[in-house]
Amino acid sequence: MKDRVKDLIDKLNREHSLAREEFVYLIENQSEEAQTYAADLAAKTTLEIYGDKVYVRGLIEFTNYCKNNCFYCGIRAGNTGVSRYRLTADEICECADEGYELGFRTFVLQGGEDPYYTDDIICHIISEIKRRHQDCAITLSIGEKSKDSYKAYRDAGADRYLLRHETATVEHYNRLHPDNISAEHRYQCLRDLKELGYQTGAGFMVGSPFQTSENLADDLLFIKDLEPAMVGIGPFIPAAGTPFANEKPGTLEQTLYLLSLIRLLLPEVLLPATTALGTIHPLGRELGLEAGANVLMPNLSPKAVRDKYKLYDNKICTGEEAAECVNCLENRVKSVGRRIVVDRGDNIAFCD
Ligand code: SAH
């Protein structure tokens, strides 16, 4: 490892920030040693703040209808190869009931941007899950909405919101999305969500088409500036039926390195080892936990619809029952000396 790389990782560990050109240097000079060095410091930071605990979120993918046409996404409106489904409010609540029995205390409602689910329906689902399980947190991941809608969901009981910024560079954003959606609007949504008191999650794909080291450095600076409670990153993986079907996927190594840099940048952040990371490598999620991640998001969607929510190809865990996923994950987490806890798993800045 180059001296300057080690110095910069040490500086990031001490000061929790770096200049743009320093991030660019770190990203361009990644090596196996640099990755291990950053991962060790990140793991130490995670241990100091969250101990050996790993928080789990029950992911309920309730609709794969989407009005948008993001070039990378497998459930984009224009992908005619997708068999579309919607879960009813009752089905969604049943997933949460089953998840509660399995020890989940956070439910993530994720979907395409599907106008079928009006604000009233979303609010009804939130308040019904909250009524049944008062000790649980609800996270929404349903894309860009008006501030009024975000407020209505918050008033109904939603605690958190995941909205990856995807890339902090407007020109890069425009190469990943059609003209009718804008980077500025997405960034504004993130600021609105924070203002409304949500534990907010930003994030990006690693290795998305056209991405440069400068883009990634700007993603890190964006995250530092926004200070989200959660950051979701995972490798880009090509999806059949999309304009990016034949592009190269992001790598395990770069994703792990960025997870570690993010942990050092925002020590208290909640950082998932994502399903996409587990998809590009059989031990991706375990390695993610060892590189600074402290959250896992297994699937609670009914088995019958699992394989239809394909943001990308070869997605793992589409054939298992939720209970099987939990057992499998428990073993995986144990194998890296950590433990899954039955807990809402709030960001410590939001704990009373
Ligand atoms: N419609 C919601 C949820 C999007 S799906 C929203 O707009 O936020 C959640 C995330 O999956 C996206 O934010 C994106 O970063 C990621 N994703 C989509 N397609 C992907 C692909 N092909 N490879 C890897 N990640 C992908």
Side-chain angles (χ1 to χ4, degrees):
M1 171 172 49
K2 292 184 178 152
D3 285 350
R4 178 147 191 248
V5 169
K6 181 178 176 302
D7 290 348
L8 288 177
I9 295 173
D10 285 335
K11 181 172 170 196
L12 179 61
N13 184 39
R14 246 184 357 258
E15 300 180 7
H16 313 300
S17 85
L18 289 179
R20 183 173 190 264
E21 58 277 11
E22 294 176 324
F23 278 128
V24 172
Y25 187 87
L26 275 186
I27 291 160
E28 294 197 333
N29 290 281
Q30 184 183 338
S31 61
E32 212 179 307
E33 297 96 304
Q35 196 194 314
T36 312
Y37 189 71
D40 287 348
L41 290 174
K44 223 173 110 220
T45 303
T46 315
L47 187 73
E48 276 164 18
I49 297 174
Y50 289 101
D52 61 351
K53 292 178 193 161
V54 172
Y55 300 121
V56 287
R57 322 301 193 191
L59 185 61
I60 305 172
E61 299 159 336
F62 67 95
T63 174
N64 69 352
Y65 281 85
C66 191
K67 65 181 169 66
N68 291 334
N69 256 314
C70 307
F71 299 152
Y72 46 85
C73 185
I75 63 167
R76 69 200 300 269
N79 190 354
T80 50
V82 178
S83 139
R84 306 279 171 175
Y85 73 91
R86 292 186 174 110
L87 300 185
T88 64
D90 280 350
E91 287 171 321
I92 296 169
C93 290
E94 280 163 26
C95 291
D97 291 345
E98 191 193 345
Y100 191 88
E101 292 303 313
L102 290 168
F104 290 95
R105 295 296 178 266
T106 291
F107 302 109
V108 181
L109 305 181
Q110 189 178 85
E113 289 198 15
D114 181 358
Y116 170 89
Y117 295 89
T118 58
D119 287 352
D120 282 350
I121 298 179
I122 296 288
C123 289
H124 164 71
I125 296 166
I126 296 166
S127 48
E128 184 56 25
I129 297 178
K130 280 278 178 166
R131 190 185 66 75
R132 296 187 192 192
H133 309 292
Q134 285 160 20
D135 53 342
C136 289
I138 294 184
T139 306
L140 297 176
S141 178
I142 53 176
E144 296 171 43
K145 306 276 178 179
S146 69
K147 193 169 182 186
D148 287 345
S149 297
Y150 288 149
K151 177 157 189 338
Y153 309 152
R154 182 95 182 101
D155 291 342
D159 304 273
R160 310 187 189 131
Y161 205 106
L162 302 176
L163 187 80
R164 292 186 177 181
H165 64 283
E166 311 296 0
T167 167
T169 313
V170 175
E171 304 82 70
H172 185 216
Y173 194 95
N174 291 339
R175 298 182 82 175
L176 304 180
H177 300 92
D179 288 345
N180 65 329
I181 41 188
S182 84
E184 286 85 357
H185 187 258
R186 200 155 178 102
Y187 308 155
Q188 185 56 47
C189 285
L190 281 165
R191 290 189 288 268
D192 290 345
L193 289 162
K194 270 204 80 174
E195 233 176 80
L196 289 165
Y198 282 96
Q199 291 180 51
T200 304
F204 55 91
M205 290 175 288
V206 177
S208 62
F210 317 113
Q211 187 176 64
T212 63
S213 310
E214 286 78 12
N215 294 152
L216 285 169
D218 286 334
D219 286 325
L220 297 176
L221 293 172
F222 178 93
I223 284 171
K224 185 66 191 174
D225 182 58
L226 181 72
E227 277 201 87
M230 312 171 285
V231 172
I233 69 162
F236 159 74
I237 303 174
T242 67
F244 293 161
N246 298 315
E247 298 292 329
K248 274 202 323 275
T251 66
L252 172 78
E253 291 76 15
Q254 193 172 37
T255 308
L256 294 173
Y257 189 52
L258 285 161
L259 279 172
S260 302
L261 298 185
I262 292 168
R263 170 61 65 202
L264 298 178
L265 186 66
L266 289 181
E268 298 179 357
V269 83
L270 292 163
L271 197 56
T274 55
T275 304
L277 187 57
T279 297
I280 55 162
H281 188 280
L283 296 177
R285 287 167 301 174
E286 288 89 327
L287 292 165
L289 290 175
E290 292 183 311
N294 65 335
V295 172
L296 291 168
M297 300 173 65
N299 204 317
L300 281 183
S301 317
K303 208 169 148 176
V305 301
R306 284 275 178 99
D307 62 339
K308 300 191 174 121
Y309 194 85
K310 281 237 187 96
L311 305 176
Y312 46 80
D313 296 343
N314 307 313
K315 188 176 165 201
I316 53 168
C317 309
T318 53
E320 283 92 343
E321 295 289 355
E324 296 174 70
C325 284
V326 170
N327 282 334
C328 162
L329 278 184
E330 269 175 352
N331 290 327
R332 287 173 181 268
V333 168
K334 266 189 215 149
S335 78
V336 289
R338 308 271 282 279
R339 67 192 165 102
I340 291 181
V341 290
V342 176
D343 193 304
R344 279 171 49 121
D346 290 291
N347 180 297
I348 58 164
F350 285 78
C351 293
D352 310 321

